[in-house]
Amino acid sequence: MILSIESSCDDSAIAITDIETKQLLFHKKISQEIEHSVYGGVVPELAARLHAEALPKILEQVKEYFPKLKAVAVTASPGLAVTLIEGVTMAKAIAVALNIPLIEVNHLVGHIYSLFIEKETNFPMSVLLVSGGHTQLMEVKSLTQIETVAKSMDDSFGESFDKVAKMMGLGYPGGPLIEKLAKDGDRLKYNFTVPLHQSPLIAFSYSGLKNAVRLAVSEAGEDTVLYKDIAASFEHIATKHLIMKLKKYFKTNRPKNFAIVGGASANIYLRGEIKKLLAPFGATLYLSELKYCADNAAMIGRVAIEMYEKQMFTSIVQLDITPKSAI
Ligand code: KG4
Ligand code: ZN
C-alpha cells in the first residue's frame, strides 16, 4: 500500500491506496474554505498552520496501515511553499520512521490521474486543466510524456471566479458561488470582450476580463440583482474564451479522447459547452468523479502507484521545498 499526502493549497488530505488493485482504501480531506472565506482567498500562513493541525489528525486514523506501507508519496510542487512543506515534512518523517521510499508527486500530474482513481489509465489523451492555480492544455501520452501546448498568461480560470466572487463580497472559493448566482442570470446582458479573441496565439488570459467585471460590479453599486447577470455573463465569456482557443487548436489537432480536470472542471456550464464542442468530432469527454475534481490525496496516490512501479523514488535529502516550488 501507499500512503499519499496533499497539502499544496488549502486542503489537507491523506489517502491509502492498494498498489496491486489500485483500490482506494482510505481517503480523508479537511478543507479550510470557511477559514479563508472571510479573506476572499487563501492566506498562505494561515493555511500552513491549519495543515499543521489537520494532517496529524488524519494520520492518526491510518496507523493500522503502517506495517503494510511500501512507500509514502507527497505533493512536492507546484503549490504554496509554506503549505507544501507541511506535507513534505510529514512524508519525510514517515519514510524515515518506516524505512520506506519517498515518492515526489507533481500536483498537476495528480489532477490528470484524478481521472483514473481505481481505474486503468487511458492514454493518449488531451487534457484541459482548470484549477485555482492553473489553466493549461496538455497532450498526455504517459506518466512521463506530458506536453503543455497552451497555458494562461496571467490569472487562471478558477482564480478569475474567486476574484469575481471577492469583488461581489461573496466569499471563497468563488467557483461554486458564482456558478450558483449565474444560474438565474442573463448570460448575454453584459457584452464582455472575449480575451485574446483577435490573437492567433493558443493561450489563455483572464486579467482583462476580470477588470471588465470589476467595472461592471462597481457600476452596479448596491443593485445586487444585477450581480446575477454579471455572474452569468462572466461565466459565459470565461468559458467562451476556452472554447474559442480549443476550436482553434482542434483545427490542426483533431480531438479523440479529451478530458477536463481540476477544481473548476466541476463547472456545469463549462462541461456542457465542451461537450457541444466535442460532439462534431465524435470525441469522448472524460471527467473525474465530482469528489476528485478539487484537490485530494487519492489522485496523488494514484500517480504514486505508477511511480512506485517504475521505482521513481526521491531521496529524503534531495527533496526540498523552496519558493521555486510554487511554479
Ligand atoms: O484544483 P483545485 O481544487 O485547486 C487548485 O489546484 O488550484 O481548484 C480550485 C479552484 C478554485 O479557484 C475554485 O473557485 C474553482 O476551482 N472551482 C470552480 C468551481 N468549483 C471550484 N470554478 C468554477 N466553477 C465551479 N463549479
Ligand atoms: Zn489542484
Side-chain angles (χ1 to χ4, degrees):
M1 292 170 196
I2 293 180
L3 183 149
S4 55
I5 307 172
E6 160 63 40
S7 72
S8 67
C9 190
D10 60 340
D11 294 296
S12 317
I14 293 182
I16 303 283
T17 314
D18 188 289
I19 298 168
E20 248 167 54
T21 64
K22 299 182 176 60
Q23 211 188 338
L24 183 63
L25 303 170
F26 173 94
H27 183 234
K28 174 124 192 212
K29 167 163 127 171
I30 298 179
S31 296
Q32 310 170 354
E33 289 171 357
I34 297 165
E35 287 88 344
H36 295 292
S37 191
V38 284
Y39 304 103
V42 176
V43 181
E45 283 70 23
L46 173 61
R49 191 152 50 74
L50 294 168
H51 283 304
E53 283 168 24
L55 287 173
K57 271 190 205 155
I58 310 176
L59 191 68
E60 198 59 40
Q61 298 173 30
V62 293
K63 274 190 173 160
E64 61 178 292
Y65 295 103
F66 278 12
K68 293 180 188 149
L69 294 182
K70 291 272 184 263
V72 54
V74 63
T75 301
S77 71
L80 301 168
V82 289
T83 65
L84 287 168
I85 207 156
E86 294 297 332
V88 167
T89 307
M90 176 175 269
K92 283 184 177 183
I94 295 171
V96 172
L98 302 180
N99 194 23
I100 52 175
L102 181 65
I103 299 176
E104 173 188 354
V105 178
N106 178 288
H107 182 77
L108 308 187
V109 179
H111 274 302
I112 297 172
Y113 277 78
S114 68
L115 295 162
F116 311 119
I117 291 167
E118 302 195 309
K119 285 184 202 146
E120 293 300 329
T121 55
N122 188 23
F123 298 131
M125 197 179 256
S126 310
V127 180
L128 176 68
L129 166 68
V130 276
S131 69
H134 295 82
T135 302
Q136 64 187 56
L137 178 63
M138 295 168 280
E139 285 299 341
V140 187
K141 291 200 184 118
S142 70
L143 174 69
T144 51
Q145 292 173 289
I146 302 175
E147 186 199 351
T148 300
V149 293
K151 52 180 166 179
S152 178
M153 294 156 62
D154 41 62
D155 291 356
S156 74
F157 180 79
E159 186 182 8
S160 68
F161 278 71
D162 295 335
K163 290 189 173 158
V164 168
K166 189 175 179 182
M167 289 170 206
M168 295 181 177
L170 298 178
Y172 172 86
L177 298 166
I178 293 293
E179 178 170 45
K180 194 164 164 232
L181 196 63
K183 260 188 201 148
D184 306 319
D186 177 359
R187 294 196 186 285
L188 305 178
K189 175 87 176 257
Y190 286 84
N191 195 15
F192 299 126
T193 307
V194 180
L196 304 176
H197 71 289
Q198 281 176 327
S199 163
L201 284 179
I202 299 182
F204 308 110
S205 167
Y206 282 98
S207 64
L209 175 61
K210 178 184 70 184
N211 289 331
V213 172
R214 192 186 302 284
L215 205 66
V217 171
S218 118
E219 275 169 8
E222 298 300 298
D223 189 356
T224 48
V225 177
L226 286 177
Y227 283 11
K228 290 181 183 171
D229 297 332
I230 297 174
S233 303
F234 157 72
E235 186 180 51
H236 171 59
I237 298 300
T239 304
K240 192 167 175 184
H241 170 42
L242 291 177
I243 299 294
M244 281 175 74
K245 290 300 174 192
L246 287 176
K247 219 179 232 172
K248 204 178 271 271
Y249 178 67
F250 290 167
K251 276 189 185 153
T252 46
N253 300 271
R254 195 185 163 91
K256 194 165 168 266
N257 290 334
F258 190 88
I260 334 172
V261 299
S265 70
N267 186 281
I268 305 293
Y269 183 66
L270 172 67
R271 287 180 167 205
E273 292 302 294
I274 297 230
K275 237 178 240 167
K276 275 193 245 166
L277 173 69
L278 294 175
F281 296 100
T284 310
L285 176 62
Y286 293 86
L287 296 159
S288 315
E289 274 184 61
L290 267 181
K291 60 183 170 195
Y292 300 130
C293 287
D295 292 350
N296 63 82
M299 67 188 195
I300 304 304
R302 182 63 187 84
V303 177
I305 294 176
E306 309 282 320
M307 293 181 76
Y308 179 83
E309 281 164 357
K310 293 184 168 58
Q311 305 264 297
M312 293 166 75
F313 305 136
T314 303
S315 93
I316 292 162
V317 189
Q318 239 172 28
L319 182 53
D320 194 16
I321 300 300
T322 62
K324 247 183 36 213
S325 309
I327 300 157

